[in-house]
């Protein structure tokens, strides 16, 4: 068996996008096995993938160059990989890749396409065209190592009984999040005809969603109540997930659940649409010249009004519900 050691340490959604790539890679390359190294709390994303070993690490135990040298030494001794795939391309992973190369492993590194993403999101003279999907960028790393891989870009099928609609109204940054008043209006409208399950994390989000649950019929908040494995199972049972450009979109993609996704300051052209999801299920304001202004939604709105999100009407989301 050809053993490949791959790593990426953040962010949650980016790591989740790696999973379908690894599954299809292993299916198409039966003489390989993968060791995936990441933060311990991401382990359930990789549960049940044949010929894949997840190695969780606490990065606080491996600080600085000497700490990373210790980690590389441990991984070499424990797994003795022949190939190394850097799926992150940040300073930490660059140092690790150099150290693996010095130990005579064949290495390849992710190309994030930073220049083209800057051209897509700059304030003036945007080059507004679709860039390579992030999943294809991950696949390119394995191709650089000499392996063949053709991604299907299809949602996995599951035979579960499906009912209810999931809604994940939050995102890490304001530029990716529908105004909370509009999200509440959406839940109120949907709950008249559907059982709604709310997803979120963090103390403030749990408080908000728990309040909605108490105030509205046919609304159940799952925020803060489920493990990652339990959350994936529940999402797999949904008819549909409504999500921002956030990790929940990628979790739904992992388990074969269709997503209606809401996009504000970010844009699917940057390559982060959920794996196998349809562009027809995107809700966005298309005629704003300022969009996209950010790859990750972490920049303040220079207009000051977040028109990309405030101009979205709830009816646009409702019209996407039925395929």
């Amino acid at each position: 068996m050809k053993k490949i050691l791959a790593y990426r340490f953040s962010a949650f959604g980016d790591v989740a996008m790696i999973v379908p790539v690894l599954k299809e890679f292993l299916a198409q390359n039966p003489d390989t096995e993968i060791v995936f190294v990441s933060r311990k709390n991401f382990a359930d994303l990789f549960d049940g993938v044949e010929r894949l070993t997840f190695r969780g690490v606490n990065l606080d135990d491996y600080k600085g160059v000497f700490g990373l040298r210790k980690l590389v030494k441990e991984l070499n001794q424990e797994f003795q990989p022949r190939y190394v795939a850097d799926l992150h391309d940040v300073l930490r992973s660059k140092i690790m890749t150099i150290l693996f190369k010095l130990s005579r492993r064949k290495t390849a590194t992710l190309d994030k396409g930073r220049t083209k993403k800057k051209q897509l999101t700059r304030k003036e003279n945007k080059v507004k065209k679709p860039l390579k999907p992030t999943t294809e960028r991950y696949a390119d790393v394995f191709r650089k190592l000499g392996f063949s891989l053709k991604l299907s870009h299809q949602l996995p099928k599951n035979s579960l009984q499906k009912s209810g609609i999931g809604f994940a109204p939050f995102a890490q940054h304001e530029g990716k999040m529908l105004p909370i008043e509009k999200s509440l209006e959406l839940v109120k409208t949907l709950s008249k005809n559907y059982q709604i399950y709310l997803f979120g994390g963090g103390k403030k989000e749990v408080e908000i969603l728990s309040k909605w649950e108490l105030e509205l019929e046919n609304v159940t908040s799952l925020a803060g109540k489920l493990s990652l494995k339990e959350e994936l199972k529940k999402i797999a049972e949904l008819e549909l997930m409504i999500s921002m450009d956030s990790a929940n979109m990628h979790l739904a993609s992992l388990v074969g659940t269709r997503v209606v996704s809401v996009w504000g300051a970010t844009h699917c052209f940057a390559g982060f649409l959920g794996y196998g999801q349809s562009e027809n299920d995107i809700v966005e304001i298309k005629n704003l010249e300022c969009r996209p202004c950010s790859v990750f939604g972490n920049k303040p709105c220079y207009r000051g009004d977040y028109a990309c999100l405030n101009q979205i009407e709830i009816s646009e989301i409702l019209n996407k519900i039925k395929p």
Side-chain angles (χ1 to χ4, degrees):
M1 299 292 283
K2 298 173 183 175
K3 186 174 290 185
I4 305 164
L5 188 141
Y7 40 83
R8 179 167 183 130
F9 302 101
S10 64
F12 186 35
D14 296 290
V15 175
M17 291 181 77
I18 294 171
V19 181
V21 177
L22 299 186
K23 287 181 176 179
E24 294 193 20
F25 173 82
L26 289 165
Q28 294 173 36
N29 294 272
D31 61 340
T32 62
E33 58 181 305
I34 289 176
V35 175
F36 191 82
V37 184
S38 192
R39 298 176 186 270
K40 291 181 178 180
N41 55 313
F42 296 161
D44 285 343
L45 294 173
F46 301 85
D47 188 49
V49 181
E50 292 186 11
R51 304 199 318 278
L52 186 146
T53 300
F54 181 85
R55 170 64 149 79
V57 297
N58 181 355
L59 293 174
D60 288 337
D61 295 335
Y62 303 99
K63 291 182 177 179
V65 175
F66 292 106
L68 294 174
R69 189 170 69 175
K70 175 187 173 185
L71 176 58
V72 168
K73 183 178 179 181
E74 289 178 3
L75 294 172
N76 270 330
Q77 290 177 345
E78 186 175 352
F79 300 108
Q80 299 179 7
R82 183 173 168 186
Y83 304 90
V84 172
D86 174 4
L87 301 177
H88 206 167
D89 190 31
V90 293
L91 181 59
R92 176 187 288 117
S93 67
K94 288 176 187 289
I95 293 170
M96 289 178 63
T97 302
I98 291 170
L99 293 171
F100 275 118
K101 191 175 292 187
L102 291 172
S103 60
R104 300 188 178 182
R105 313 302 184 192
K106 184 172 182 180
T107 67
T109 299
L110 177 71
D111 176 6
K112 289 186 172 180
R114 290 184 175 94
T115 299
K116 290 185 177 180
K117 287 175 181 175
K118 285 180 180 178
Q119 293 172 349
L120 172 67
T121 58
R122 62 194 179 192
K123 190 172 180 179
E124 298 176 344
N125 300 316
K126 297 180 188 293
V127 181
K128 205 166 182 177
K129 62 181 182 180
L131 303 182
K132 181 179 289 190
T134 299
T135 47
E136 284 291 347
R137 294 186 184 278
Y138 291 144
D140 280 344
V141 180
F142 294 96
R143 294 170 185 140
K144 290 175 188 177
L145 290 172
F147 297 95
S148 61
L149 175 56
K150 185 174 182 181
L151 298 182
S152 68
H153 294 284
Q154 298 294 315
L155 282 176
K157 298 187 183 301
N158 72 53
S159 56
L160 297 173
Q161 185 76 24
K162 290 180 174 285
S163 64
I165 291 177
F167 181 40
F170 299 105
Q172 187 175 5
H173 303 292
E174 186 179 1
K176 298 203 294 187
M177 195 168 66
L178 200 66
I180 198 70
E181 299 82 9
K182 286 182 181 282
S183 289
L184 177 56
E185 180 188 346
L186 177 63
V187 173
K188 285 180 178 178
T189 304
L190 286 172
S191 64
K192 295 174 183 177
N193 298 301
Y194 300 95
Q195 176 64 45
I196 306 301
Y197 298 94
L198 303 175
F199 294 83
K203 183 178 178 181
K204 185 176 180 181
E205 294 178 13
V206 170
E207 288 176 356
I208 291 171
L209 299 184
S210 296
K211 184 179 179 183
W212 293 3
E213 178 184 36
L214 290 172
E215 293 175 350
L216 302 171
E217 293 185 4
N218 300 322
V219 174
T220 301
S221 174
L222 301 176
K225 299 177 182 178
L226 303 179
S227 67
L228 177 55
K229 184 178 290 187
E230 291 168 336
E231 188 170 337
L232 286 166
K233 182 178 183 297
K234 184 60 189 177
I235 294 173
E237 297 169 349
L238 297 173
E239 295 177 53
L240 174 77
M241 170 67 85
I242 302 172
S243 170
M244 308 299 111
D245 169 20
S246 69
N248 288 281
M249 172 175 59
H250 302 299
L251 295 183
S253 297
L254 285 187
V255 295
T257 296
R258 175 178 162 239
V259 177
V260 170
S261 53
V262 179
W263 298 68
T266 59
H267 200 290
C268 72
F269 281 4
F272 294 102
L273 182 64
Y275 190 76
Q277 300 294 341
S278 171
E279 290 187 17
N280 293 329
D281 286 330
I282 290 175
V283 178
E284 62 184 340
I285 303 298
K286 293 185 176 180
N287 59 355
L288 278 176
E289 289 299 320
C290 56
R291 284 192 69 232
C293 63
S294 171
V295 174
F296 306 110
N298 56 340
K299 296 180 180 178
C301 175
Y302 65 81
R303 289 170 47 121
D305 62 356
Y306 284 105
C308 56
L309 291 160
N310 283 303
Q311 289 184 15
I312 291 176
E313 299 294 337
I314 297 304
S315 59
E316 297 175 60
I317 301 173
L318 296 173
N319 289 338
K320 298 282 188 181
I321 300 298
K322 294 187 181 295

